[in-house]
Amino acid sequence: MVEYNIANIISIEEYEKETKTELDMMGIERIKAKVKLKFDQLSDLTFGNLAKVVKQSIYLKDIDLEKLDRIKQYRDYLAHRCFKEKLLENKLSSLEDVDGFVDELNDFEVEATEMNEWLLHIFKDNKTKSILLKH
């Protein structure tokens, strides 16, 4: 969800690039199309590349980049190496090993949830924009 919410937030920044103070329906549709295109482009990025885009974000200027990097690194570990290292190499051979791994996973969940809640707050604060509708 962290990746998804980052993509959503950066996508709605497309509205900030609009210079007109009044928009007609075609202008609104154009902005909606830009936001959707940006979201689609960001959704195709790896988490690592998306994290790089965050650094240019207006809305995410206060993001904890160290925390985001820790989340990305551990997510990459889970996705790419965990199975091999923990299970195939039998590194979870004792109950103590399993408990330690469960603690690691719980810590990751707490950190990812905190980040996601922060992102949801940023999204909520920026998802609605006022415009003057020109007839």
Side-chain angles (χ1 to χ4, degrees), residues 85-87 89-95 97-101:
E85 290 179 10
K86 294 286 189 200
L87 301 175
E89 295 175 4
N90 205 23
K91 299 238 173 131
L92 297 176
S93 56
S94 71
L95 190 53
D97 294 337
V98 171
D99 285 344
F101 182 54

Side-chain angles (χ1 to χ4, degrees), residues 40-133:
D40 291 344
Q41 291 169 340
L42 293 170
S43 295
D44 288 340
L45 295 178
T46 63
F47 195 179
N49 286 327
L50 184 61
K52 291 175 188 173
V53 174
V54 165
K55 294 175 185 173
Q56 290 117 35
S57 170
I58 299 163
Y59 297 154
L60 299 176
K61 67 183 182 309
D62 294 328
I63 196 168
D64 184 339
L65 291 172
E66 289 179 17
K67 180 184 269 193
L68 181 61
D69 188 57
R70 282 193 307 273
I71 290 168
K72 182 222 165 288
Q73 294 295 328
Y74 198 74
R75 176 252 173 233
D76 288 351
Y77 167 73
L78 290 173
H80 302 293
R81 296 189 338 258
C82 178
F83 180 76
K84 178 185 178 288
E85 290 179 10
K86 294 286 189 200
L87 301 175
L88 293 180
E89 295 175 4
N90 205 23
K91 299 238 173 131
L92 297 176
S93 56
S94 71
L95 190 53
E96 188 176 274
D97 294 337
V98 171
D99 285 344
F101 182 54
V102 168
D103 288 342
E104 270 183 43
L105 291 171
N106 287 335
D107 291 345
F108 173 70
E109 180 184 16
V110 167
E111 196 160 44
T113 299
E114 288 172 353
M115 175 65 74
N116 198 54
E117 287 173 1
W118 184 83
L119 290 167
L120 289 171
H121 175 73
I122 298 298
F123 182 75
K124 181 181 170 214
D125 286 350
N126 293 287
K127 71 178 180 177
T128 305
K129 301 294 179 187
S130 297
I131 59 167
L132 289 173
L133 185 58

Side-chain angles (χ1 to χ4, degrees), residues 1-6 116 119-120:
M1 287 306 297
V2 168
E3 291 175 81
Y4 174 81
N5 285 321
I6 287 172
N116 198 54
L119 290 167
L120 289 171

